[in-house]
């Protein structure tokens, strides 16, 4: 197929955690030895889910203007300590470097099986970049780890805001020199696409039914009228005419 | 050779105009038809030099705090109009789109013959990115045109300052998650390296004796004690142990 369903789009911005990479299995893998070493009795996959569950509430205080913007790695680190405290972990026995290293697990996540081929094909026609809540250093390190072929890194740190605040989308579009309607947001999360669409962007939904594990209940289907609905990034590449 | 002369460096930031790409011949090429069409009697290479000569003075008002930061494409456009006025060009006969297109000549510059191989080899070992006064959109478009394999785009727009203000170097290093001494500035301009070194960065001088044409008088030799002095980006890759 060689028909481009979004002919006026000049830039593709990607959600990353869940859409391009598998954070749940990656964080479980990064946490396993740490949990064993410190005798913290929790399944690493559950630990990943617990840690991730604090992601949205932590950003919310910044979105609401109650706290100045800080990069996601700072929020992830604070959230790690909250989760460890819930499991009565003894912080005295942990070196700061050990916690920092565990926190860098967010930069060592595997792509979904179709991600590299999909991004590589999309990049032949359009510039691509994360439009993520991750910070620049985190997105850079993750790209180097997972071989994600970004052209540029946009998103939260460029705009000092967090999605779904409109400015994250609008400021990212402006930074790469495009009007909002010339940018397509690619995400596995309907809420992300709702906010992107409200800000004037085009939308590509990529279904990731195992982001939260086999019993996932959210984002199993597209709930909005997105421009493209795909089962993978390679299917998104088909829809954009990128062979 | 496989010895890395900067073993503690984790990121390479590049000056772009002059160091990675040949702006003089590229702008001359972009200007030629325009100058002919409008009967502006100036050699395109001289026109390129004149246009470029306004680059530093335009940034100076921003560095001095006399003007809020604006992206380089805005300064380039203003400078274009100044140069055209000097040649008594009739603006009434020029469409805005025509001037915009000419201004985008700065995003369509050829790399020096060694640049792509050099960057590609350096990138095997270290993350690389422009640490340029160019804006993000301009650096992105130039990278797409010239196939520059950047991992990330740092520099003026990330920090809302212009080199050689220290914050341009320091803010870029911070954005990619490194201390200043873990970043090496790669440039063909001794002044750029002086400022980078003063800010705590490591330094790589790449000699570009034809940036300003065959009669170039500046930056023909390294004038400081730079960590690495190379004749090309491939030679810089040798010095960093990147085969």
């Amino acid at each position: 197929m060689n028909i481009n369903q979004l002919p006026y789009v000049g830039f593709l911005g990607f959600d990353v955690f869940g859409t391009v990479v598998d954070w749940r299995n990656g964080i479980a893998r990064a946490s396993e030895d740490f949990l064993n070493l410190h005798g913290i009795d929790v399944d690493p996959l559950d630990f990943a889910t617990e840690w991730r569950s604090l992601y949205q509430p932590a950003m919310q205080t910044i979105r609401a203007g109650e706290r100045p913007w800080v990069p996601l790695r700072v929020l992830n680190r604070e959230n790690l300590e909250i989760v460890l405290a819930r499991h009565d972990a003894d912080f005295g026995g942990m070196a700061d470097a050990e916690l920092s290293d565990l926190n860098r697990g967010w930069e060592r996540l595997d792509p979904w099986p179709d991600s590299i081929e999909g991004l590589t094909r999309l990049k032949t026609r359009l510039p691509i970049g994360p439009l993520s809540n991750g910070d620049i250093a985190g997105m850079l390190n993750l790209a180097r780890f997972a071989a994600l072929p970004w052209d540029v890194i946009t998103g939260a740190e460029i705009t000092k805001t967090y999605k779904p605040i409109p400015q994250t989308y609008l400021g990212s579009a402006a930074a790469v020199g495009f009007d909002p309607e010339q940018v397509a947001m690619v995400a596995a999360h309907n809420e992300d696409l709702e906010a992107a669409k409200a800000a004037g962007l085009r939308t590509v939904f990529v279904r990731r039914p195992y982001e939260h594990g086999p019993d996932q209940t959210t984002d199993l289907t597209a709930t909005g009228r997105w421009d493209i609905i795909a089962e993978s990034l390679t299917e998104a590449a088909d829809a954009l005419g990128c062979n």
Side-chain angles (χ1 to χ4, degrees), chain A residues 13 16 20 25 35-36 47 56 73 77 86 99 105 108 126 131 203 208 210 218:
Chain A
V16 174
V20 177
N25 282 294
L35 297 171
N36 283 335
F47 185 77
Q56 292 294 343
R73 63 180 175 275
R77 172 61 185 266
R86 285 187 187 166
L99 294 173
R108 297 173 192 142
L126 291 166
L131 205 170
T203 50
R208 295 300 190 193
Y210 305 112
T218 55

Side-chain angles (χ1 to χ4, degrees), chain A residues 15-27:
Chain A
D15 177 65
V16 174
F17 301 114
T19 301
V20 177
V21 298
D22 172 7
W23 58 265
R24 181 172 169 269
N25 282 294
I27 292 297

Side-chain angles (χ1 to χ4, degrees), chain A residues 28-46:
Chain A
R29 177 182 63 203
S31 306
E32 190 164 12
D33 287 349
F34 176 92
L35 297 171
N36 283 335
L37 182 68
H38 294 285
I40 301 166
D41 185 24
V42 55
D43 183 290
L45 287 166
D46 293 336

